[in-house]
Amino acid sequence: MDSKQVLKTSSTYTPEAIAAIQERAELGRYMIRGYGALRNVPRFDDLVFLTTSLTRLPLEGYREKCTTKTFIGTRHAKRPMELKIPITVAGMSFGALSYNAKVALGRAATLLGTSTTTGDGGMLPAEREASSKLVYQCLPSRYGFNPTDLKKADAIEIVVGQGAKPGGGGLLLGQKVNKVVAGMRTLPEGVDQRSPCRHPDWIGPDDLKIKIEELREATDWEIPIYVKMGATRVKDDVKLAVKAGADAIVLDGMEGGTAATQSIFQEHAGIPTLPALVQAVEALQEIGVYGEVQLIISGGIRSGPDVAKALALGADAVSLGTATLIAMGCNKPVYIEDYHKLGTEPYHCHHCHTGMCPVGITTQDAELMQRLPIDEATTYVANYLQSLVMEVQSLARACGKSDVHNLEREDLVALTLEASAMAKLPLAGTDFIVGQ
Amino acid sequence: MHQTVPQQTLIDCANLTTREINQKLKALASESIPTKLLNPAGRHNLAVGITQIAISIAGPVGYYCGGLSDNINIEVFGDCGWSVGENLMSGNITIHGNASANAAASAHGGKICILGNAGSRAGISLKGATLIVTGNVGYSSAFMMQQGCMIVCGNAGANLADSIYEGTIFVGGEINSLGADAKLEPMSDADWQFLEHELAALNISAKDYNFKKVICAKQLYHFKAKDWANY
């Protein structure tokens, strides 16, 4: 008698786990890759808005104004950052990204009246020219960091860590360190460039306070100073950054992306953006600086609802990295044969570290970069940012708000137990908050 | 018409804020007037982000003295705190005393002379400047150095030149240990001539020291699992 054969997959040794073991067996080391966490975590999708009906009244969606103006860095700076929208472009280096990608990001941000951010490679002159508001990152590597560019910046972002790799440094593989990239970073051409995990000239928050004063003195207290951190021990870290003198906190959850780091960091270090945001707001409230020190949240934010929920939970603005690259064409189903050469498919590509980006974004190869025309990429990113703003305004109006910053926690409920516990919001249809 | 040019401006730091001192220095820099700071009292962030000025400082200074500066000439008659000359682009900083940790951190250009000892991580992430220490340097000095030169007349602590990319380190005394990917290389005649030239201005003869040369072994330029034991 024929028995029916049923194939079963082990829940421990899944196809992914088997592939990972066999890849390690071949490489003899951990895996390095780009992009962000692949695993599923509680996120903004697990929240929904309680819009208006009778207890509150909505605003007319296609008529009434809903303002989006946003100020960052009002604590100490003579010239705080004034943005037209509460969405900024996150720091991504020239080196990790191509010249065309950096310039397009700058131009798109300018069109929307918002800021873009430099990255590990220093300030690319064309990026400065393209960006009406440019945040200059002070990273542990200090590649390309100099007082001349510092004085051209509209804000300074001291990078302590990144959501994709909190506590760890990056690794820009040698194939992306071409002559121009190496020159900007004072490195030999073609070597693997290690991004250090800590700053060379300060160690703890007491030192950071003096470092911040140095940067303020060098820029005559004109521009704001942000401190960017990967989300781990959020409450303590935020409080220490505020004590050190930060004008704004940039907090990057574990869904944040990277050009290249160890896969174990992306999947097993840090906490998701949703609970990180909630804890950061609580930390600012506990020390009485909520509203005085602005909070920018980042890490896997992709849509208008994500942005609106972040604002409702207490963020002043959000920052987008990977999503802007996807808007340009990252993972687009074109040049299929080149995805195959990398051993991947469109929608599944996280090979930014190889420098062989099929769509010309995370590459320094001149031929590949030509696949990303600057004008076209600028339009795509600008359109994408514009659509996010329209979505945020729509949700805000539906909640009865004439300013997107008036969205509040009361406008949200959670759909899952995990999201309820992490966001400290009631489960939908109940008054029950998990853990409280 | 005869114009009187002041020879030197005196600034007494005792009753001024750091902001006020630096504002005065920036104003004087635009007029190229040499300046002397009195009573610095170990204050942090003196003369940062400044260009084209000669300053002498009568007493000890704190963190980041001369940091983020370009085309400057600073002499400190006293000890200095962390990260003196941090990210210096060009010019000279001379410390007539000891330096704390991270002297010349990530300095791109110019010359920083410590006429005494320097603490740990001296020359960390050095990017092209020259750091001269006439005494000893602490552990992890020249860590992740990228370019430039460090000359130490005395001894060097543990893990000297760990993870350097490029650049050259000369040590006149003993080296406790070398860090990952650092190696000794024989001194050449050109090296001795270079040291004689660099140290002559400090009235030091290189030949009075047993200089050794440390450079990058370049074995870890590319991440390979087989190199694991070297980290």
Side-chain angles (χ1 to χ4, degrees), chain A residues 185 190 192 194 213-214, chain B residues 26 45 86 146 165 222-223:
Chain A
R185 300 183 188 218
D192 289 351
R194 304 177 294 267
E213 186 191 47
E214 183 206 22
Chain B
K26 285 181 183 179
N45 290 322
E86 180 265 330
Q146 293 175 223
Y165 285 102
H222 298 281
F223 179 66

Side-chain angles (χ1 to χ4, degrees), chain A residues 37-160:
Chain A
L38 302 178
R39 66 157 66 213
N40 187 33
V41 295
R43 49 171 53 98
F44 293 113
D45 278 348
D46 300 324
L47 309 178
V48 288
F49 277 102
L50 300 179
T51 48
T52 54
S53 50
L54 195 58
T55 51
R56 294 183 178 195
L57 294 177
L59 301 185
E60 175 56 51
Y62 292 95
R63 293 281 180 185
E64 290 186 85
K65 279 192 176 177
C66 180
T67 57
T68 57
K69 190 170 272 192
T70 303
F71 291 92
I72 306 290
T74 54
R75 190 185 188 194
H76 295 298
K78 289 180 202 163
R79 279 193 290 128
M81 187 72 88
E82 183 181 335
L83 307 173
K84 287 184 181 168
I85 61 172
I87 304 169
T88 66
V89 178
M92 294 176 278
S93 73
F94 169 62
L97 301 192
S98 65
Y99 174 96
N100 288 13
K102 285 299 279 176
V103 174
L105 287 173
R107 289 185 187 171
T110 300
L111 285 171
L112 270 291
T114 190
S115 63
T116 188
T117 312
T118 55
D120 225 340
M123 189 185 285
L124 187 67
E127 181 185 25
R128 174 64 277 188
E129 195 181 325
S131 312
S132 64
K133 299 170 196 300
L134 186 60
V135 182
Y136 189 36
Q137 284 192 328
C138 176
L139 288 127
S141 67
R142 304 287 164 80
Y143 296 132
F145 193 77
N146 62 69
T148 309
D149 288 342
L150 185 68
K151 286 164 189 164
K152 295 176 189 165
D154 299 297
I156 302 165
E157 184 171 294
I158 300 175
V159 179
V160 178

Side-chain angles (χ1 to χ4, degrees), chain A residues 102-248:
Chain A
K102 285 299 279 176
V103 174
L105 287 173
R107 289 185 187 171
T110 300
L111 285 171
L112 270 291
T114 190
S115 63
T116 188
T117 312
T118 55
D120 225 340
M123 189 185 285
L124 187 67
E127 181 185 25
R128 174 64 277 188
E129 195 181 325
S131 312
S132 64
K133 299 170 196 300
L134 186 60
V135 182
Y136 189 36
Q137 284 192 328
C138 176
L139 288 127
S141 67
R142 304 287 164 80
Y143 296 132
F145 193 77
N146 62 69
T148 309
D149 288 342
L150 185 68
K151 286 164 189 164
K152 295 176 189 165
D154 299 297
I156 302 165
E157 184 171 294
I158 300 175
V159 179
V160 178
Q162 223 178 306
K165 49 192 175 193
L171 188 72
L172 189 67
L173 295 178
Q175 55 261 42
K176 291 174 87 171
V177 184
N178 67 12
K179 192 175 178 183
V180 180
V181 173
M184 280 183 70
R185 300 183 188 218
T186 333
L187 287 170
E189 191 178 340
V191 304
D192 289 351
Q193 170 254 288
R194 304 177 294 267
S195 294
C197 62
R198 58 181 189 266
H199 283 262
D201 55 346
W202 60 272
I203 292 177
D206 290 340
D207 303 328
L208 173 58
K209 183 177 184 179
I210 304 167
K211 179 73 197 172
I212 287 176
E213 186 191 47
E214 183 206 22
L215 293 167
R216 287 200 204 284
E217 283 296 318
T219 51
D220 288 324
W221 293 68
E222 292 275 341
I223 57 177
I225 296 187
Y226 310 169
V227 173
K228 177 179 180 176
M229 298 179 286
T232 55
R233 295 174 181 82
V234 172
K235 278 201 165 181
D236 291 341
D237 288 338
V238 166
K239 288 176 182 177
L240 287 171
V242 171
K243 188 183 173 196
D247 290 302

